[in-house]
Amino acid sequence: MTRFRIGEAAGLLGVSADTVRRWIDAGRLVAVRDELGQRLIDGVDLAGFVREQHEQADPASETSSARNRLRGIVTAVTKDAVMAQVDLQAGPFRIVSLMSREAVDELDLRVGSVAVAVIKSTTVVVETASLGRKTA
């Protein structure tokens, strides 16, 4: 069974450790204490919490077949005569999008704007990371 420390869960969720502690204290997320008294979150419980949060997300996301939606803040916009590059920071993720300058102007994308990166892909590579702790 995979269990995560509060800091590891926070990193996966893109929030602070204090936010995860508040969710645990409020009963929104379940944690158990190990033999050293540190709180651990079961991987299955964390996955369920993430799914629940997604289901409560912006209802406008249901109007598209794309399910990969990352809300964040625009950190850079570089435009030339025809094309533009928009950098978006969504939690721990940096998203870079290349689009027409016209699209950037129509969306009024500027540094500091809130935007949603919608990702639709035919190929998704999934890798494992040694973030979780396995216990018997």
Side-chain angles (χ1 to χ4, degrees), residues 40-101:
L40 300 174
I41 302 162
D42 182 87
V44 173
D45 292 336
L46 186 61
F49 178 78
V50 170
R51 278 192 307 274
E52 179 182 305
Q53 297 307 304
H54 173 72
E55 291 166 2
Q56 296 174 2
D58 182 8
S61 67
E62 299 304 317
T63 61
S64 171
S65 65
R67 295 294 178 247
N68 302 307
R69 305 174 71 83
L70 302 172
R71 186 171 192 261
I73 187 167
V74 175
T75 58
V77 177
T78 306
K79 298 190 265 187
D80 67 17
V82 177
M83 295 298 294
Q85 175 180 317
V86 177
D87 293 30
L88 180 76
Q89 191 69 37
F93 305 107
R94 177 178 176 242
I95 312 294
V96 178
S97 178
L98 301 176
M99 64 184 78
S100 70
R101 178 189 179 112

Side-chain angles (χ1 to χ4, degrees), residues 2-15 20 23-24 28-31 40-53 131-132:
T2 302
R3 291 187 173 177
F4 298 94
R5 291 182 176 181
I6 287 176
E8 293 168 328
L12 289 169
L13 298 173
V15 298
V20 174
W23 287 339
I24 292 168
R28 294 181 60 198
L29 189 57
V30 177
L40 300 174
I41 302 162
D42 182 87
V44 173
D45 292 336
L46 186 61
F49 178 78
V50 170
R51 278 192 307 274
E52 179 182 305
Q53 297 307 304
L131 294 176

